């Protein structure tokens, strides 16, 4: 199977099936990885500031990694989530009254009410596998926001500069018991993340997830199509400068104020 075939094979997978019961049970890693205080703390702090005392809506709320501590900060949080097993995991931490969740696609599902902040963290917009769906996601965020409302996206920068001619993959993690690599289909702007987990045996476990990568400039154009303007862009949640060498970014888009 060539790389384009590999991308097409995974792309045809029902995204909801990737986030199944087994994945939901293993998703949380309290105190480490994306749950480490030095990762999660600045994320919650920045989102609380951007909410400016209003309510927040998280697209792809998952197991509540960000929503739960943000709600504990006093920000009313609602979620939209495609995977029922992920929501079931969330329910072990917060009930429906604390963090209401609408089951559905973040590009089209609607939650009741009007919000001051919609946010989408940890590269999740790339789970939408077409440009059209990604634009719809921006438009859906705009529908939920009041005048002056913000849409925040955390996203990685495609690592195509690491691809020499004839090579279609980059290794982005190599540590004991784990290797992560991405295979690119640059013609269709698709990437598959491969996660290899292994122990002392000869067996390894492989997980794969498809994504459509987005350049920052393309993301800005999507925002303009939905009526947003770029307010700020930083390399991380702590406000580090975004440069040509940054591997990810936190982009804050804002709707015009009324009048």
């Amino acid at each position: 199977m060539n790389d384009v075939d590999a991308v097409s094979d995974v792309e045809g997978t029902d995204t909801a099936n990737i986030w199944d019961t087994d994945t939901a049970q293993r998703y949380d890693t309290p105190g480490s990885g994306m749950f480490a205080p030095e990762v999660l703390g600045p994320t919650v702090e920045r989102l609380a500031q951007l909410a400016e005392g209003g309510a927040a809506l998280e697209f792809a709320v998952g197991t509540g990694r960000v929503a739960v501590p943000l709600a504990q900060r006093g920000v009313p949080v609602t979620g939209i989530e495609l995977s029922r097993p992920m929501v079931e995991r969330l329910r072990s931490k917060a009930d429906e009254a604390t963090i209401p969740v609408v089951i559905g696609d973040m590009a089209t599902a609607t939650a009741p009410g009007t919000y001051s902040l919609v946010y989408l963290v940890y590269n999740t917009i790339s789970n939408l596998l077409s440009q059209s769906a990604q634009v719809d996601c921006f438009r859906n965020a705009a529908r939920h926001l009041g005048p002056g409302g913000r849409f925040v996206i955390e996203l990685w920068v495609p690592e195509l500069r690491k691809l020499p001619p004839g090579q279609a993959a980059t290794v982005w993690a190599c540590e004991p018991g784990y290797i992560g690599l991405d295979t690119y289909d640059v013609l269709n702007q698709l990437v598959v993340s491969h996660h290899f987990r292994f122990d002392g045996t000869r067996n390894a476990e492989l997980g794969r997830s498809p994504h459509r990568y987005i350049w920052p400039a393309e993301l800005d154009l999507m925002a303009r199509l939905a009526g947003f303007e770029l307010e700020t862009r930083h390399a991380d949640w702590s406000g580090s400068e975004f440069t040509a060498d940054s591997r990810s970014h936190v982009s804050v888009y804002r709707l015009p104020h009324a009048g």
Side-chain angles (χ1 to χ4, degrees), residues 59 80 105-110 136-144:
F59 284 175
I80 291 177
D105 189 322
M106 61 187 169
T108 56
T110 57
D136 286 344
C137 184
F138 271 90
R139 290 175 171 153
N140 198 27
R143 281 193 291 270
H144 285 90

Side-chain angles (χ1 to χ4, degrees), residues 213-253:
Y213 60 84
I214 318 168
W215 298 104
E218 182 186 8
L219 202 69
D220 293 349
L221 182 56
M222 292 179 182
R224 291 187 65 86
L225 291 173
F228 290 99
E229 292 184 355
L230 179 66
E231 184 175 56
T232 62
R233 171 170 290 135
H234 294 100
D236 55 35
W237 292 100
S238 298
S240 302
E241 180 184 4
F242 180 75
T243 71
D245 294 321
S246 298
R247 296 185 61 186
S248 62
H249 59 94
V250 175
S251 296
V252 180
Y253 298 98

Side-chain angles (χ1 to χ4, degrees), residues 7-216:
V7 171
S8 299
D9 177 50
V10 178
E11 182 187 0
T13 303
D14 182 351
T15 305
N17 290 336
I18 296 175
W19 307 103
D20 57 13
T21 300
D22 182 58
T23 301
Q25 290 176 343
R26 295 186 303 168
Y27 188 80
D28 292 359
T29 55
S32 64
M34 71 178 86
F35 288 82
E38 64 271 21
V39 175
L40 191 53
T43 304
V44 173
E45 179 66 26
R46 180 64 174 146
L47 290 172
Q49 293 172 357
L50 292 170
E52 293 187 336
L57 174 64
E58 180 172 355
F59 284 175
V61 67
T63 66
R65 180 182 73 94
V66 174
V68 170
L70 187 59
Q72 291 170 345
R73 281 287 303 269
V75 178
V77 181
T78 299
I80 291 177
E81 174 57 50
L82 187 62
S83 167
R84 291 184 183 276
M86 297 290 274
V87 176
E88 290 173 4
R89 180 71 175 173
L90 166 60
R91 286 289 163 255
S92 68
K93 311 170 191 177
D95 60 21
E96 177 71 17
T98 304
I99 301 179
V101 176
V102 174
I103 301 295
D105 189 322
M106 61 187 169
T108 56
T110 57
T114 301
Y115 302 85
S116 64
L117 176 69
V118 177
Y119 64 94
L120 217 175
V121 298
Y122 222 77
N123 308 320
T124 311
I125 192 171
S126 69
N127 289 341
L128 298 171
L129 299 180
S130 70
Q131 185 184 72
S132 176
Q134 291 167 351
V135 170
D136 286 344
C137 184
F138 271 90
R139 290 175 171 153
N140 198 27
R143 281 193 291 270
H144 285 90
L145 289 167
R150 293 181 171 100
F151 184 32
V152 182
I153 293 179
E154 178 186 19
L155 186 62
W156 97 100
V157 178
E159 296 188 302
L160 296 190
R161 289 191 300 173
K162 292 185 177 180
L163 287 177
Q167 181 172 313
T170 62
V171 176
W172 49 269
C174 185
E175 55 195 50
Y178 179 78
I179 294 175
L181 62 88
D182 289 336
T183 55
Y184 285 84
D185 171 7
V186 295
L187 180 63
N188 296 297
Q189 208 164 310
L190 296 172
V191 59
V192 176
S193 292
H194 306 257
H195 309 271
F196 298 90
R197 295 177 175 85
F198 48 89
D199 51 26
T201 70
R202 299 177 65 179
N203 298 319
E205 177 184 301
L206 168 62
R208 296 189 296 167
S209 60
H211 307 270
R212 181 184 185 271
Y213 60 84
I214 318 168
W215 298 104

